Amino acid sequence: MAGCGCNSNVQFDGVSAEYKRTLWIVIAINVLMFVVETGASIASQSMALRADALDFLGDSLTYSITLLAIGHSLRWRASAALFKGITLALMGLWVLGSTFYRTLVLEIPNEMIMGSVAMMAFTANLISALLLLKYRDGDSNVRSVWLCSRNDAIGNLAALLAAVAVFATQSPWPDLIVAVAMALLFLHSAWLILRQSIAELRQE
């Protein structure tokens, strides 16, 4: 792939006008969906949507930091990725904690709101993931953007399946199970980002 370093030993570092334009588009998509899903999660009482809304917020922050890091030294970019990895890990822990709390106060979420908003979010994130697909093998700063975008698409699909399961079972457990699964996905991606960024910092 031209311009991304996929065919060489040098990883793409984001220094590309096309990549920056792509990031601005994806940031706008994520901010819009954060607002939409936050409202929907409150209205539906869905932990899966709440986790996904938080992921949209985290991604907006991640993409903004990525833009700021582009063009700086490897240490600067790796440090930015390290910060994003820590933030993603904290998000995962927060979702886990709040989900376990919700198990004490089980309420059946509104599956119609869950399903419609999850479908909307999945479409938005599929567009984002496709826009970022060719940049997935960049340095830790660039790769963290791809991982977050991938997480979003998976999370939205999972939330949609949870809505179907809630409708079929009239139980809140599918929603809570999906929220836990998403939290674990956050933690796994955080580990991947942290491992690569620490390795890059050691190269300096």
Side-chain angles (χ1 to χ4, degrees):
M1 163 187 65
C4 73
C6 292
N7 299 318
S8 69
N9 293 326
V10 179
Q11 290 181 315
F12 177 60
D13 59 4
V15 181
S16 162
E18 179 187 3
Y19 181 64
K20 291 179 181 179
R21 284 194 298 270
T22 299
L23 278 183
W24 278 117
I25 294 171
V26 174
I27 288 172
I29 291 173
N30 276 266
V31 170
L32 175 62
M33 289 310 304
F34 165 68
V35 174
V36 171
E37 277 205 313
T38 297
S41 69
I42 294 172
S44 66
Q45 292 298 303
S46 167
M47 285 304 299
L49 285 186
R50 192 163 304 175
D52 201 44
L54 185 62
D55 194 27
F56 273 118
L57 176 62
D59 287 350
S60 300
L61 175 63
T62 291
Y63 303 153
S64 299
I65 293 174
T66 297
L67 274 173
L68 291 175
I70 290 174
H72 289 276
S73 67
L74 177 61
R75 173 169 290 276
W76 211 102
R77 299 194 312 271
S79 297
L82 185 67
F83 173 76
K84 289 184 285 186
I86 293 171
T87 301
L88 191 58
L90 292 174
M91 285 171 48
L93 292 173
W94 183 88
V95 172
L96 274 179
S98 58
T99 301
F100 287 140
Y101 171 77
R102 274 293 304 276
T103 62
L104 303 176
V105 190
L106 292 177
E107 297 177 7
I108 299 177
N110 186 309
E111 67 274 14
M112 297 304 294
I113 296 178
M114 280 182 65
S116 58
V117 175
M119 178 62 75
M120 184 189 308
F122 176 70
T123 302
N125 277 307
L126 182 60
I127 293 172
S128 298
L130 291 175
L131 288 172
L132 294 166
L133 180 63
K134 66 179 181 178
Y135 304 109
R136 66 187 182 278
D137 295 320
D139 64 15
S140 61
N141 189 48
V142 172
R143 188 169 184 238
S144 65
V145 173
W146 159 250
L147 287 172
C148 288
S149 180
R150 182 203 66 179
N151 285 357
D152 279 347
I154 294 173
N156 297 146
L157 185 58
L160 183 59
L161 293 175
V164 173
V166 168
F167 175 76
T169 63
Q170 287 301 297
S171 166
W173 284 106
D175 177 62
L176 298 176
I177 291 170
V178 166
V180 169
M182 290 174 64
L184 295 177
L185 181 61
F186 295 166
L187 293 174
H188 178 258
S189 295
W191 164 246
L192 294 177
I193 295 169
L194 290 171
R195 184 176 63 181
Q196 184 176 355
S197 60
I198 290 172
E200 289 176 355
L201 286 171
R202 288 174 175 169
Q203 293 176 16
E204 287 288 292

